[in-house]
């Protein structure tokens, strides 16, 4: 009997000397339950002896590909300890025949090794196949935003919309006034060179033509005819009148054009057409 039990019995004998029968009965009950708890704890605490421990060795491989599974964790749940498989997937540790080992490896489902079953195989090294985890991933399209690289590793910038023959020799865009201080020669060349001025005029004409092509989709002869009901020379005259007084941006919408044409048509009728010769 251990020292803990001896201390309880000594305490019980000391308390048991009382003369009160009720207290003595209560003391007996307390002593009985204390001894019962000690007995139960001894039954549950199974004793493991070193001579009962067995060597458990195994090799872990992928159940599908047959590749080795290195650096997996083999844990003995009873002692909360274990080992790790080496680079060849081989492990070895001491365990009791009643133990169960848990094997965990990244990318594989958890596997359990029952030591009693291992001993039945009567092999020094048992090969264990671990089932890999497969995740179904949908198709993902990745679009990069960085600049592309040519064969020499030099980043390629966005292509300029300005034709190369119309590009300025000094600036990519209209220079700020501070350029006159920091780049006076380039600034003077940009402002005074006839060649630079001709380039800018040509670019302005191209931009105006492009804008006009877009503007014609919301403002043209047919649209003005549908709004005003004018035909023939009267329509042509009114178109000239609109071109002079329109004052709309090339980015104007069809609604803005419609409203402006109606306003100009009222002015046009008041100025050039008698009130009784035409109706809305």
């Amino acid at each position: 009997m251990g020292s803990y039990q001896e201390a309880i019995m000594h305490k019980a004998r000391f308390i048991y000397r009382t003369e009160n029968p009720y207290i003595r009965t209560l003391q007996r009950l307390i002593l009985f339950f204390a001894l019962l708890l000690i007995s139960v704890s001894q039954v549950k605490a199974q004793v493991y002896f070193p001579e009962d421990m067995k060597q458990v060795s195994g090799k872990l491989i992928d159940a599908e590909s047959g590749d080795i599974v290195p650096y997996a964790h083999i844990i003995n749940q009873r002692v909360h300890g274990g080992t790790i498989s080496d680079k060849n997937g081989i492990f070895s540790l001491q365990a009791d025949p009643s133990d169960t080992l848990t094997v965990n490896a990244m990318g594989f489902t958890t596997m359990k090794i029952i030591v009693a079953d291992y001993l039945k195989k009567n092999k020094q090294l048992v090969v264990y196949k671990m089932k890999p985890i497969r995740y179904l991933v949908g198709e993902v399209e990745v679009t990069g935003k960085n600049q592309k690289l040519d064969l020499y590793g030099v980043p390629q910038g966005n292509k300029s919309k300005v034709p190369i023959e119309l590009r300025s020799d000094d600036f990519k865009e209209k220079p700020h006034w501070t350029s006159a201080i920091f780049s006076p020669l380039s600034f003077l060349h940009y402002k005074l060179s006839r060649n630079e001025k001709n380039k800018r005029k040509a670019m302005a004409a191209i931009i105006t033509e492009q804008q006009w092509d877009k503007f014609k989709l919301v403002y043209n002869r047919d649209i003005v005819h549908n709004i005003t009901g004018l035909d023939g020379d009267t329509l042509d005259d009114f178109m000239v009148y609109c071109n002079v007084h329109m004052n709309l941006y090339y980015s104007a919408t069809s609604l803005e054009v419609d409203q402006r044409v109606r306003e100009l048509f009222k002015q046009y009728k008041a100025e050039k057409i008698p009130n009784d010769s035409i109706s809305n």
Side-chain angles (χ1 to χ4, degrees):
M1 185 178 297
S3 58
Y4 179 69
Q5 292 90 335
E6 291 177 356
I8 293 178
M9 293 299 297
H10 177 73
K11 187 70 173 178
R13 287 194 296 269
F14 177 77
I15 298 175
Y16 194 70
R17 296 173 183 174
T18 180
E19 299 296 333
N20 193 321
Y22 297 103
I23 295 178
R24 293 179 62 182
T25 302
L26 180 60
Q27 291 174 345
R28 290 175 183 175
L29 291 174
I30 293 174
L31 179 61
F32 171 76
F33 284 112
L35 294 175
L36 180 63
L37 289 174
I38 294 173
S39 301
V40 171
S41 63
Q42 289 181 342
V43 171
K44 288 186 177 180
Q46 184 178 354
V47 179
Y48 293 87
F49 298 99
E51 58 269 19
D52 294 333
M53 304 296 283
K54 302 295 181 182
Q55 190 74 20
V56 179
S57 301
K59 181 176 182 179
L60 304 175
I61 64 172
D62 190 318
E64 296 183 2
S65 65
D67 297 334
I68 61 175
V69 181
Y71 313 118
H73 293 265
I74 299 90
I75 305 298
N76 188 334
Q77 297 296 336
R78 176 179 61 84
V79 298
H80 301 289
T83 186
I84 299 176
S85 62
D86 62 14
K87 63 181 181 180
N88 298 316
I90 297 175
F91 68 91
S92 180
L93 76 167
Q94 294 282 336
D96 190 86
S98 62
D99 289 339
T100 297
L101 308 180
T102 302
V103 183
N104 296 307
M106 184 177 296
F108 295 86
T109 58
T110 301
M111 182 179 66
K112 292 187 180 299
I113 298 176
I114 300 176
V115 177
D117 294 341
Y118 166 84
L119 297 176
K120 292 178 182 179
K121 295 180 180 181
N122 195 24
K123 293 182 180 180
Q124 292 184 350
L125 184 68
V126 177
V127 177
Y128 293 98
K129 298 180 179 180
M130 300 193 69
K131 185 178 179 181
I133 300 174
R134 295 289 182 259
Y135 298 99
L136 183 61
V137 180
E139 181 180 356
V140 179
E141 181 179 355
V142 179
T143 303
K145 293 183 178 180
N146 292 336
Q147 296 177 347
K148 295 182 179 179
L149 298 178
D150 61 15
L151 296 178
Y152 299 97
V154 179
Q156 296 178 348
N158 297 329
K159 293 183 178 179
S160 175
K161 297 181 180 179
V162 180
I164 188 170
E165 60 274 6
L166 296 180
R167 296 176 189 174
S168 172
D169 296 334
D170 303 293
F171 304 97
K172 294 182 180 180
E173 55 187 12
K174 184 178 179 180
H176 193 261
W177 65 268
T178 54
S179 301
I181 300 175
F182 297 103
S183 303
L185 295 179
S186 297
F187 183 81
L188 290 174
H189 180 262
Y190 179 86
K191 291 292 185 180
L192 302 178
S193 172
R194 179 179 298 178
N195 187 39
E196 289 290 306
K197 292 179 180 180
N198 291 335
K199 288 180 181 180
R200 292 197 292 274
K201 289 180 181 179
M203 277 304 304
I206 292 174
I207 294 173
T208 301
E209 183 178 359
Q210 293 174 346
Q211 292 174 339
W212 176 249
D213 289 338
K214 295 181 180 178
F215 188 60
K216 284 191 299 185
L217 298 176
V218 295
Y219 172 70
N220 54 54
R221 199 171 188 274
D222 293 335
I223 292 176
V224 174
H225 166 71
N226 293 333
I227 296 174
T228 63
L230 298 178
D231 289 311
D233 295 338
T234 307
L235 177 58
D236 293 336
D237 186 63
F238 179 65
M239 288 291 296
V240 174
Y241 183 84
C242 286
N243 294 340
V244 174
H245 300 88
M246 181 63 73
N247 296 329
L248 284 178
Y249 292 105
Y250 289 110
S251 59
T253 63
S254 58
L255 181 60
E256 292 173 336
V257 170
D258 181 277
Q259 182 178 359
R260 183 57 179 161
V261 169
R262 294 182 185 277
E263 293 174 355
L264 293 176
F265 187 43
K266 291 181 180 179
Q267 297 177 16
Y268 179 78
K269 288 190 297 180
E271 295 177 8
K272 296 192 175 185
I273 300 178
N275 293 333
D276 57 351
S277 64
I278 189 168
S279 59
N280 272 331

